[in-house]
Amino acid sequence: MIELKVCPSTLAEGFSTYSPTARNELFYGKGVSHYIPVPSPDVDSEDAKEAVKNVGRISLSGAQPKFAVIIGDDLHLRYTTKGEQGTHMLKLRPTSYQIVNREYCVANEHLTMQIASQAYKIETAANGLCFFSNNEVAYLTRRFDVLPGTGKYQQEDFASLLGYTKENGGSDFKYCNGSYEECAQVIDRYVKAALIDKLRFFRVILFNFITLNDDAHLKNFSLINLGGEYRLTPAYDLMNTSLHLYEPRIFALDKGLFKEGMSFSDVRSVGRADFIEFANRIGIPQKLAVRELDRFASENSLAEGLVHRSFLSEELKGDYLRLMAHRRNMLRDD
């Protein structure tokens, strides 16, 4: 079993399992173990095959398998059986050899989500890491659309809300259709407190920019119906994708920030003025936009500490910090 010196959720030092804060956020206060007493599903063994016999696989988005899990009576996570509603999801390392550093993908996502939550106060899906008996690490997140005993809340992603599917938008419909400006228009259309959620959305776009997340496509933003009113969901699927892709991009959406699209070249990159214009277009007052830009352009010691305590390799920690510093600099006044 892996010996831990930091909480595998909050990355707080001095813990050999989940901290009390993590247990409250991830497991409704229960003392759930970080250890899953079965091998990971991608291990070719009889024990592993038996362990996943009744797995409720939710999806295979991209190359990263996801599995529904629930808290067992013994306070270990276990796979759901037929008819059970999973309260959490496990995400394993990608299976595609086209992905660089794939063994660190789950650590990357966990770190990026913790930076968003702790360092930039962005509401995120509760998350952490857990470990199989063969020491394979998995990303764990609590489903914000499911609460024990209350059923499942209605949730719609922005691809659906904009009316795009594979049938009418092509195989890459979640990337090649729409812009972040048009996503903000969805918030205007469905959310009563639209300005509040557009500011939250603006922060996530800025965060994705400084952490080089170029997989923030239309299905990675959603609205959820709580008490008869829609609101923007907590952020999810945040990752520094530049650490894993041979040809990273600036934005996931082909159009970028603006509904008419954006053109890029060796002499034209994205900068502060683009985000000021974006904020203006989606109805965020310039004073608020400037405040947020200054915050995301500034050095953040808490973010740096989280990177150093993360489960990334030392080399990738250095890459993460270097790339983020470069993107922060792009947001500063010329």
Side-chain angles (χ1 to χ4, degrees):
M1 186 186 301
I2 292 177
E3 182 181 355
L4 299 178
K5 296 182 179 180
V6 298
C7 168
S9 175
T10 65
L11 294 174
E13 294 180 297
F15 292 95
S16 59
T17 187
Y18 298 116
S19 64
T21 297
R23 288 174 174 174
N24 286 334
E25 293 178 354
L26 259 177
F27 307 118
Y28 325 106
K30 296 180 180 180
V32 175
S33 173
H34 66 276
Y35 176 70
I36 301 178
V38 295
S40 60
D42 59 346
V43 173
D44 188 16
S45 70
E46 291 304 316
D47 287 342
K49 291 175 183 176
E50 181 63 25
V52 299
K53 186 176 180 180
N54 293 312
V55 168
R57 179 168 291 196
I58 296 174
S59 69
L60 271 170
S61 59
Q64 218 165 358
K66 300 175 186 176
F67 296 90
V69 294
I70 198 168
I71 301 170
D73 293 336
D74 61 354
L75 296 181
H76 285 84
L77 294 167
R78 65 169 177 81
Y79 300 114
T80 55
T81 57
K82 187 176 181 179
E84 285 186 315
Q85 173 66 69
T87 54
H88 295 69
M89 287 198 309
L90 281 183
K91 190 181 293 187
L92 309 183
R93 67 178 181 180
T95 55
S96 172
Y97 287 95
Q98 296 176 325
I99 297 175
V100 184
N101 303 311
R102 63 193 182 100
E103 67 272 26
Y104 290 105
C105 282
V106 294
N108 182 343
E109 183 169 358
H110 168 242
L111 168 64
T112 308
M113 292 284 286
Q114 289 298 319
I115 292 175
S117 175
Q118 295 189 49
Y120 292 98
K121 306 305 178 186
I122 292 172
E123 184 183 7
T124 62
N127 64 90
L129 297 176
C130 55
F131 303 85
F132 291 99
S133 62
N134 60 313
N135 290 336
E136 182 79 27
V137 61
Y139 175 77
L140 174 72
T141 184
R142 179 172 62 80
R143 295 186 61 168
F144 49 74
D145 62 333
V146 174
L147 285 176
T150 63
K152 190 174 183 296
Y153 294 111
Q154 181 186 6
Q155 180 181 339
E156 298 287 346
D157 63 57
F158 280 24
S160 298
L161 293 168
L162 285 166
Y164 294 120
T165 64
K166 282 186 179 180
E167 287 68 33
N168 64 22
S171 59
D172 288 335
F173 71 99
K174 59 187 179 182
Y175 297 101
C176 63
N177 299 287
S179 65
Y180 296 118
E181 181 181 354
E182 289 164 284
C183 288
Q185 291 172 349
V186 168
I187 297 173
D188 274 325
R189 191 178 310 136
Y190 292 101
V191 178
K192 186 175 181 180
L195 180 57
I196 293 173
D197 272 2
K198 283 190 296 183
L199 183 58
R200 293 175 59 217
F201 179 71
F202 183 61
R203 288 172 181 148
V204 176
I205 299 302
L206 288 174
F207 179 78
N208 285 335
F209 180 75
I210 67 166
T211 55
L212 292 90
N213 177 17
D214 72 353
D215 199 37
H217 52 69
L218 294 177
K219 294 184 74 66
N220 278 348
F221 297 95
S222 300
L223 298 183
I224 190 168
N225 189 339
L226 299 174
E229 290 189 4
Y230 280 101
R231 59 158 295 186
L232 191 67
T233 66
Y236 56 93
D237 288 357
L238 305 178
M239 180 187 292
N240 186 330
T241 56
S242 70
L243 301 184
H244 306 291
L245 301 177
Y246 286 105
E247 296 183 0
R249 298 154 51 93
I250 294 179
F251 296 115
L253 301 184
D254 290 349
K255 288 185 177 181
L257 296 174
F258 308 128
K259 61 183 179 182
E260 71 272 15
M262 301 177 71
S263 60
F264 303 103
S265 68
D266 292 340
V267 295
R268 200 288 191 206
S269 189
V270 176
R272 187 181 183 92
D274 294 298
F275 288 101
I276 292 288
E277 171 66 16
F278 174 62
N280 179 61
R281 290 191 184 200
I282 68 174
I284 293 176
Q286 184 165 328
K287 184 178 180 180
L288 288 181
V290 168
R291 182 193 70 186
E292 296 300 327
L293 280 161
D294 289 343
R295 186 163 70 97
F296 283 93
S298 301
E299 293 185 11
N300 191 305
S301 59
L302 179 52
E304 184 174 342
L306 290 168
V307 173
H308 286 303
R309 295 193 300 276
S310 75
F311 289 79
L312 291 177
S313 68
E314 292 304 313
E315 180 181 3
L316 291 181
K317 289 176 185 178
D319 291 341
Y320 199 113
L321 290 170
R322 175 179 54 81
L323 292 164
M324 190 162 64
H326 175 67
R327 283 291 180 88
R328 285 200 308 263
N329 189 57
M330 294 171 68
L331 292 182
R332 293 176 182 143
D333 284 319
D334 296 331

